[in-house]
Amino acid sequence: MILYVETNFLMSIATGRDSQGDILQQSLDTRLLEKDPTDNLILHCILNHARLHPTDRKVFLSANVKEFNTPEVQAALHDASVVKYLVRTQDFLGWLESQ
């Protein structure tokens, strides 16, 4: 299972784990989150990584419901096989325990 936590992807970008150039260009070309370019970049990192790991079960944890809990973002996460979006750590732990 892969757990995406919003702040980890900023570190991933800064340390050069993924192909930042492509992801950065995608985030500039496709604005899923118009108001916040940083969150848009985080989302594109998650989507890119999720597509690179199609067989892993993926969950996204972020309390930023204003940005990430919109129909457009939820559809993009679903299309990238992110099976669950959770807002609270307790919800994640409860979900994980039930698996």
Side-chain angles (χ1 to χ4, degrees):
M1 177 188 22
I2 298 172
L3 170 63
Y4 298 110
V5 179
E6 183 180 340
T7 56
N8 285 347
F9 273 89
L10 288 176
M11 182 179 297
S12 174
I13 293 166
T15 59
R17 283 194 193 148
D18 292 316
S19 58
Q20 298 90 355
D22 293 342
I23 297 169
L24 182 57
Q25 190 60 53
Q26 288 172 346
S27 76
L28 294 171
D29 293 343
T30 307
R31 299 295 301 254
L32 294 168
L33 300 171
E34 287 290 330
K35 293 181 181 177
D36 191 331
T38 302
D39 285 343
N40 190 59
L41 179 57
I42 290 168
L43 178 61
H44 278 278
C45 289
I46 291 168
L47 296 173
N48 181 69
H49 186 270
R51 288 181 186 115
L52 293 173
H53 298 87
T55 60
D56 292 320
R57 189 168 40 171
K58 297 167 282 292
V59 179
F60 177 40
L61 174 63
S62 174
N64 187 352
V65 295
K66 180 181 163 191
E67 297 292 339
F68 294 113
N69 197 24
T70 65
E72 297 82 14
V73 171
Q74 292 301 306
L77 290 168
H78 180 267
D79 290 346
S81 301
V82 176
V83 297
K84 198 84 168 157
Y85 168 71
L86 299 164
V87 176
R88 300 177 323 138
T89 303
Q90 297 89 338
D91 295 337
F92 168 71
L93 294 173
W95 175 84
L96 184 61
E97 223 173 81
S98 73
Q99 298 303 302

